[in-house]
Amino acid sequence: YSPGFSMKFGFGCVDISSKIPLRMDGYVERTTTSTGVLHPLLSTACVLQDQTHTLVMISVSILGVDQHITKQVKQRVHELFKVPQAYVIINATHTHASYGAARFGDLGGFFVLKDPSADERDYYERLPHKIVESVSLAFENLEAGSVAYFQQQITGVASNRVNPKAEFNDVATVFYFKDKQDVIKGVWTLFANHPTVLDGDNLKVTDDFIAYYHDALQPHYPQAKLMYLQGCAGDISTRYVKSESSVAQAQKLGDHFAQQIADAKPSMVPVHRIVSIKSEPIHFQTRTFQEPEVIQNQLALAKKTFEAAQQAKLDRHTLRSLYVTYQGLEMLALMHEQVNVDIISASMSLIQFDSLIIITTPTETFSSIDLEIQRLCPLKQVVVLGYTNGYVGYLVDHDNMDNDACYERHMMVIKKDSYKEVLKISKQWLKKGMC
């Protein structure tokens, strides 16, 4: 460590796009294979060290990282670099324009990709090796420098898609990693927003608006590796800010996001050390399903209602809401057939810096749960990530479990009060003298 520089960091990036067309993830009606690459899908890793801890943070351009891949990556990074497995954090950007073969699923036998081809199996088997390769590159690029962050409210990019008038987390947390010459060599953006500007008609892989955000941000930091860490976006998307589902719209929102970060005049908060890193297993009980005929009747009604709305040419927001309700019930029917366990296990993590704490969840966490966790610690900034170190599906809050407009409740694999387990672990951590 150099005098005056208490931190080291390094970034590594690997293209995880397939050269062979594969089935895509994110929309059940999309059954054909990909037709090309709009933006390369990436595994981007950052190694961050102080004199006590080594944190490995990884962002992967997929919909969700399952437990099997999580375990492989953690174990291999530990073997290669002697990093404790609890110090390896893998976050999925949650793009709905990645490959289904990136997550075969581990929700108690609920496999996301049915009847995988040899090419899809090969992609799945190679993916953890590519993620580890990005970590290796990050270790090779380690250098002394400084780290600081700021927070910026973002407008016109995200909305609460269940209730456009409801409160949601619209704050981006941005980390700058500077070398000894004060050049920004890396940027983390922690923000909650579903990358679903593009819909099921899109057949090219991409990180959606995130890719355009990075494209627009890169000229401001030409030597930096850019890394997006997805927050609690369970009920946050671009639904009420986009005018259409198109490449032009994804670029417009990405550009608008980047401009707000580039124009910010922030009060930077320095990060001098990693105070602690913790990991805790979390166990969710699977839900009790209704009888199959009840689910099928609900599904038939939802389909009929959606098709009638299409015929009547109702507005796009109504059509989207009715469609995702139908989609949710389709997924519910599949889950009823395939989920065959009582408990689904994953883990949560905590990374404590000087004045900021990052908590990770393996779920598509609703924004109100995110905000409730933040309020547990009024003396420090708390940022909550979803889609991390496993994929357990939606975590709907108490108020929306009986909300007919909330299709996400149909798609929950776990019991409706599962948010209590996430809050319980968060409270245990945050009340132990940290706040």
Side-chain angles (χ1 to χ4, degrees):
Y1 293 89
S2 303
F5 295 96
S6 58
M7 307 289 285
K8 286 183 178 179
F9 63 82
F11 284 82
C13 191
V14 171
D15 189 337
I16 61 169
S17 308
S18 172
K19 295 180 180 178
I20 299 170
L22 301 174
R23 282 178 290 176
M24 296 175 70
D25 209 348
Y27 297 99
V28 294
E29 78 274 18
R30 190 164 53 190
T31 56
T32 58
T33 59
S34 57
T35 59
V37 177
L38 186 59
H39 296 98
L41 302 180
L42 304 172
S43 174
T44 306
C46 174
V47 175
L48 181 59
Q49 289 183 337
D50 63 10
Q51 296 187 24
T52 307
H53 301 88
T54 297
L55 170 67
V56 177
M57 187 71 82
I58 308 166
S59 172
V60 191
S61 303
I62 56 178
L63 193 141
V65 53
D66 69 25
Q67 283 293 328
H68 182 62
I69 286 179
T70 297
K71 290 175 182 176
Q72 285 189 75
V73 171
K74 284 174 170 277
Q75 182 175 342
R76 188 59 179 152
V77 171
H78 172 66
E79 292 170 353
L80 289 172
F81 305 106
K82 311 307 178 191
V83 176
Q85 293 191 33
Y87 292 14
V88 180
I89 311 294
I90 313 169
N91 177 268
T93 65
H94 197 58
T95 174
H96 283 45
S98 59
Y99 305 112
R103 53 162 197 141
F104 274 37
D106 50 5
L107 304 181
F110 177 47
F111 289 93
V112 176
L113 194 65
K114 280 190 171 183
D115 304 318
S117 67
D119 289 332
E120 287 166 333
R121 288 188 179 277
D122 182 64
Y123 182 88
Y124 185 71
E125 290 171 2
R126 289 175 181 270
L127 181 58
H129 300 286
K130 287 184 173 290
I131 296 172
V132 172
E133 183 184 345
S134 71
V135 176
S136 297
L137 290 171
F139 271 100
E140 290 176 14
N141 293 326
L142 271 175
E143 60 181 318
S146 62
V147 182
Y149 72 91
F150 69 94
Q151 294 191 309
Q152 177 72 27
Q153 185 177 21
I154 303 299
T155 62
V157 175
S159 62
N160 186 310
R161 68 185 187 185
V162 176
N163 178 1
K165 297 181 180 179
E167 181 185 22
F168 70 100
N169 184 4
D170 58 358
V171 174
T173 302
V174 180
F175 281 71
Y176 288 158
F177 298 79
K178 295 184 177 181
D179 65 13
K180 292 188 208 178
Q181 286 72 46
D182 211 35
V183 175
I184 296 176
K185 302 295 284 291
V187 178
W188 290 358
T189 303
L190 289 68
F191 188 62
N193 193 22
H194 256 80
T196 51
V197 178
L198 300 174
D199 60 19
D201 292 334
N202 169 56
L203 295 177
K204 292 187 177 181
V205 297
T206 174
D207 235 344
D208 205 275
F209 79 88
I210 297 170
Y212 288 108
Y213 166 67
H214 283 164
D215 284 349
L217 198 64
Q218 191 73 71
H220 297 279
Y221 315 111
Q223 296 189 44
K225 292 291 186 185
L226 306 180
M227 186 168 170
Y228 187 99
L229 296 166
Q230 187 61 264
C232 297
D235 56 349
I236 302 178
S237 76
T238 60
R239 182 176 302 171
Y240 293 105
V241 294
K242 68 182 181 181
S243 59
E244 60 184 14
S245 294
S246 67
V247 167
Q249 188 68 193
Q251 182 171 6
K252 180 180 178 180
L253 292 179
D255 290 351
H256 183 54
F257 188 5
Q259 197 62 54
Q260 291 179 73
I261 297 301
D263 288 346
K265 295 179 173 55
S267 176
M268 302 298 299
V269 181
V271 174
H272 298 296
R273 63 188 181 121
I274 302 169
V275 177
S276 65
I277 304 173
K278 302 177 185 294
S279 181
E280 184 82 22
I282 185 167
H283 308 288
F284 297 104
Q285 289 186 322
T286 51
R287 67 188 292 174
T288 301
F289 292 96
Q290 295 171 300
E291 293 299 317
E293 57 268 23
V294 174
I295 297 174
Q296 289 301 324
N297 288 338
Q298 290 176 334
L299 177 59
L301 178 60
K303 182 179 181 181
K304 183 178 179 180
T305 303
F306 170 63
E307 289 175 344
Q310 279 186 309
Q311 290 291 326
K313 297 182 179 180
L314 297 184
D315 67 276
R316 64 183 183 86
H317 293 311
T318 301
L319 285 174
R320 178 62 183 166
S321 179
L322 292 172
Y323 168 71
V324 293
T325 297
Y326 164 49
Q327 183 186 48
L329 286 165
E330 276 196 313
M331 294 294 285
L332 178 63
L334 283 172
M335 285 188 285
H336 184 272
E337 293 175 9
Q338 298 179 28
V339 174
N340 57 15
V341 296
D342 297 324
I343 300 290
I344 297 172
S345 297
S347 65
M348 291 177 59
S349 298
L350 174 143
I351 306 107
Q352 183 181 4
F353 299 113
D354 313 71
S355 59
L356 181 138
I357 294 169
I358 297 174
I359 288 179
T360 77
T361 72
T363 52
E364 289 202 51
T365 309
F366 265 41
S367 187
S368 66
I369 302 169
D370 171 8
L371 295 171
E372 187 169 352
I373 293 172
Q374 291 183 42
R375 292 175 186 130
L376 293 171
C377 189
L379 300 181
K380 286 187 172 68
Q381 299 289 345
V382 178
V383 180
V384 188
L385 300 179
Y387 316 95
T388 304
N389 289 347
Y391 182 75
V392 184
Y394 283 108
L395 186 70
V396 177
D397 59 25
H398 176 269
D399 291 343
N400 279 299
M401 279 311 305
D402 296 317
N403 178 5
D404 290 338
C406 178
Y407 83 91
E408 293 89 350
R409 67 193 178 100
H410 294 305
M411 297 179 70
M412 277 186 69
V413 184
I414 52 182
K415 290 184 70 174
K416 68 179 184 180
D417 62 351
S418 294
Y419 67 91
K420 293 179 181 179
E421 293 299 315
V422 171
L423 289 173
K424 178 182 175 182
I425 292 175
S426 300
K427 287 177 181 177
Q428 289 173 348
W429 281 335
L430 297 176
K431 294 302 182 183
K432 287 184 177 179
M434 292 183 187
C435 301

